[in-house]
Amino acid sequence: MDTQALKQQAHDLDVTVWVGKSGIDAVVDELDDQLDDRDLVKVKLLRAARAGGSTEEKAADLADRVDAELIETRGHTAVFYR
């Protein structure tokens, strides 16, 4: 599926994973499980999770950890596909 089609699908998705002050380590397993159940998952990176880095950097790191493709980041929200 092409990136544009995935972005269109992700538009109506609700955020199902929130990354908070515990950082991305705390959500790796949850995101991995959700990606097993469905193709697209939307993740919100809260202010405490972004300390010391940008949303794009944190999202790219998270994508690497769960072996997923980072489709887009918009604001403080990222969309992952696997």
Side-chain angles (χ1 to χ4, degrees):
M1 194 173 272
D2 67 19
T3 304
Q4 188 61 34
L6 291 170
K7 287 180 182 181
Q8 288 175 347
Q9 276 188 332
H11 179 73
D12 293 328
L13 284 179
D14 291 329
V15 173
T16 57
V17 176
W18 289 265
V19 182
K21 64 183 176 185
S22 298
I24 60 175
D25 294 333
V27 299
V28 169
D29 290 337
E30 178 62 27
L31 179 57
D32 194 41
D33 289 345
Q34 287 193 26
L35 285 165
D36 286 342
D37 293 340
R38 53 186 163 279
D39 294 336
L40 286 170
V41 176
K42 199 179 269 191
V43 176
K44 178 81 168 193
L45 289 103
L46 303 175
R47 182 180 305 159
R50 297 186 314 268
S54 70
T55 299
E56 292 79 13
E57 292 170 341
K58 301 289 183 176
D61 185 25
L62 188 54
D64 287 342
R65 292 183 186 210
V66 296
D67 192 31
E69 183 179 347
L70 177 61
I71 299 301
E72 73 173 332
T73 57
R74 182 171 290 180
H76 302 299
T77 304
V79 178
F80 297 91
Y81 173 76
R82 182 167 65 191

